[in-house]
Amino acid sequence: MSPAPDTLVEVSDLSKTFDISPPWLDRVLERIPRQLLHAVTDVTFSIRRGETFALVGESGSGKSTIAKIVVGLIPANAGHIEIDGVTMGRDTRAVRTLRRRMQMIFQDPYASLNPRMRVDAIVAEPIRAFGIAHGRAVRERVGDLLRAVGLDARDGQKFPHEFSGGQRQRICIARALASDPAFLVCDEPTSALDVSVQAQILNLMRDLQAEFGLTYLFISHDLAVVRHMASRIGVLYLGRLAEVAPGASLFRNPRHPYTRMLLDAVPDLDMSGRPRTPVTGEIPNPIDPPSGCAFHPRCPLANERCRREVPLLLPAGEAIVACHAVAEGRAAA
Amino acid sequence: MTGESAREPVLSVRNLRVEFPTRNGVLTAIDDVSFDVAPGEVLGVVGESGAGKSITGTSIIGLLDPPGRIAGGEIRLEGRRIDNLPMTEMRKIRGRRIGMVFQDPLTSLNPLYTVGRQLTETIRTHLGLGRRAAMDRAVALLDEVGIPAARRRIDAYPHQFSGGMRQRVVIALALAADPVLVIADEPTTALDVSVQAQVINVLKRMCREHGASVMLITHDMGVIAETADRVAVMYAGRIAEIGPVRQVVQHPLHPYTVGLMGSIPKLDHNEPRLRQIPGSMPRLDSIPPGCAFNPRCPQAFARCMLERPEPIPKGAARVACWLHANEEVVA
């Protein structure tokens, strides 16, 4: 299976379990077995060059775990990740070269900047680490980057605490751009920000994408933000992909019952009074997920097969959907 | 007053001013805020961080963190002044006349006591019921907020409930003594979107059935649109605009509200760019003279820099903006 030439990121059958067992002695004394948390199971997706692919899901859906695996912060248990033709995971020369071509933007701009470093040192760190520029050229490049994200070159002399949340996120973006990356993984980049500041950051991210030809993996719990940013969207539920579809199609014609429920749960800002099905139930504990399709206890279409058999991702129109009801035609369009 | 019922308001806040004395001078967190909450009404208070919405809530229930203090104005609950009551008197009002729901249900419930004990304690303290009657009422309340098998779950501890169920317990607790007003400060912010919708519905239904008015404080305009009858938009410690929720959401008058609504990404219409308000909310020590929004306002003119606008009636709403002042002179 060779990826299409315009594919930048290819993730296949990615799985990650965390061992959350109590210490060995406790297990022996209390006779309790090992406990594994299946954070991500068999996740497959690909991202084309220059597009924004979004993963959306509620807490415990595994979206942040996927982000960390993709950039190589934590190892996967199974699966294959290929970025720009390079297989991730082993510490080869090719992977090290690739590292500078991918960067990450984190959720909390208060926690992801070193409070003891001046902003110019923060932004210059990747430039020096990867040996992109030397001497006077570093300072010039830092100034350019700060201006590109809407700050002033003189802001480099300040410390992070002198900036507001939105400005700090701009600094994080400038740092991410410093190594001249092609691929940015953005894990809830605006969740900690106020809505008017969020708009500034989202606009900035789209401008930078057009200017530098960036590819984004955009992770969020907010459907409206994802709708605004992404060309294709993957919906996660308890570590598995429920549905992958182009943005417009997902919102016009959601196929998976979970996607439908999520859309119905979004507050109706236009107060159009559109008919909505009330949401029921909560996300089960990922330590002990339901059998078969993990969504079946909350699903209005669930039957015996859903309780028994894990559904596979199958094409349905423009989308791919993991749902027995959709595959069997039980879900009314 | 426009659009408010002839009945006496449950809560009436007049010219409220809250100050925080610091080493570098006195900061004014709430500056001349006035509003009413009518019986049975849900008033939404919306704003971004630093707008003063939570401080408005805590000053009403008398739980301002020191050194914060109410420096002016008055707060009346059912006509009775409560902003100058001694602490012991205020304790009889909190929980009895005013129920509270906070953002994080794990910190507002005591982890060492069962849910039942916390509920019956509140009921017995405020309503003076016997043990058996209090227990029955606690079970009935848990049942009402949609906790399955309430009779059995009443002996469970808070950590044994999920986030959404915990917030339902907090709502039951807030309504345990049949208060006239519930102040809910970001009640769904810590919850997932599918759980948020359920909790909002429970809060709305419970308050309606128990005849309590609600002051709902949130940063989320969507939650306001779903829940509130009227909404007050706060900016830099002042009310920018207050009016019926449909009018404020669909036809906002204040340039800040217009910008705020435009900056929210929408599900159904997808523009390539969001409207953005330049800059950010001023810090409390650098609120500009005149209208606090003037440095960020696309329509600001000379008067906005000099004179502070008072809330001016406009239709069913009131808006603190000089753009809407001309009609006032005519009227």
Side-chain angles (χ1 to χ4, degrees), chain A residues 153-168:
Chain A
R154 279 168 304 178
D155 286 332
Q157 289 304 306
K158 297 184 189 164
F159 286 99
H161 75 262
E162 295 174 71
F163 294 91
S164 67
Q167 289 171 317
R168 282 183 217 213

Side-chain angles (χ1 to χ4, degrees), chain A residues 57-60 63 161-162 164 167 170 192-204 206-207 221-225 227-230 251 258 261-272 274 276 278-283 298, chain B residues 47-50 53 162-165 168 192-198 201 219-226 245-247 249-250 256 259-281 283 296:
Chain A
E58 300 182 278
S59 30
K63 50 192 192 302
H161 75 262
E162 295 174 71
S164 67
Q167 289 171 317
R170 288 174 192 268
L193 305 177
D194 275 317
V195 57
S196 72
V197 182
Q198 165 173 287
Q200 297 171 4
I201 298 294
L202 294 180
N203 283 341
L204 173 69
R206 284 186 82 135
D207 294 345
H221 69 282
D222 187 327
L223 283 159
V225 168
R227 167 86 175 100
H228 182 73
M229 292 299 287
F251 287 89
Y258 176 61
M261 194 196 81
L262 265 187
L263 286 176
D264 274 348
V266 174
D268 182 9
L269 193 58
D270 290 338
M271 305 207 293
S272 55
R274 66 188 153 102
R276 298 193 292 175
V279 177
T280 52
E282 291 187 32
I283 304 163
R298 303 172 76 185
Chain B
E48 301 184 281
S49 356
K53 50 194 194 308
S162 67
M165 287 297 156
R168 288 170 195 249
D192 274 315
V193 54
S194 70
V195 181
Q196 162 176 306
Q198 302 174 45
N201 278 333
H219 70 283
D220 189 335
M221 212 53 174
V223 171
I224 295 279
E226 291 268 292
V245 69
R246 187 170 286 274
Q247 179 179 336
V249 167
Q250 293 177 341
Y256 174 62
L260 193 63
M261 295 306 302
S263 63
I264 303 172
K266 313 283 190 310
L267 276 186
D268 43 355
H269 26 88
N270 196 17
E271 290 105 21
R273 285 183 75 81
L274 296 165
R275 179 198 289 266
Q276 63 182 60
I277 312 175
S280 54
M281 176 119 45
R283 293 157 54 121
R296 305 174 71 189

Side-chain angles (χ1 to χ4, degrees), chain A residues 177-200:
Chain A
L177 293 176
S179 67
D180 199 15
F183 176 47
L184 284 188
V185 176
C186 318
D187 187 4
E188 303 260 17
T190 60
S191 305
L193 305 177
D194 275 317
V195 57
S196 72
V197 182
Q198 165 173 287
Q200 297 171 4

Side-chain angles (χ1 to χ4, degrees), chain A residues 11 43 55 65 69 100 105 123-124 143 145 147 151 153 159 178 180 191 255-256 259 264 286:
Chain A
V11 173
V43 167
L55 287 173
T65 306
I69 295 173
R100 62 176 266 201
I105 300 169
V123 177
L145 286 163
R147 274 191 295 275
L151 294 171
F159 286 99
D180 199 15
S191 305
R255 290 181 171 85
H256 197 286
T259 316
D264 274 348

Side-chain angles (χ1 to χ4, degrees), chain A residues 8-23:
Chain A
L8 182 69
V9 181
E10 184 81 41
V11 173
S12 33
D13 302 316
L14 194 69
S15 294
K16 176 74 189 173
T17 52
F18 290 106
D19 189 343
I20 50 159
S21 318

Side-chain angles (χ1 to χ4, degrees), chain A residues 57-94:
Chain A
E58 300 182 278
S59 30
S61 63
K63 50 192 192 302
S64 291
T65 306
I66 295 175
K68 287 182 192 149
I69 295 173
V70 168
V71 294
L73 286 177
I74 52 174
N77 292 95
H80 184 83
I81 301 173
E82 203 175 301
I83 299 175
D84 214 3
V86 179
T87 301
M88 295 288 291
R90 269 158 298 159
D91 190 28
T92 59
R93 180 184 296 262

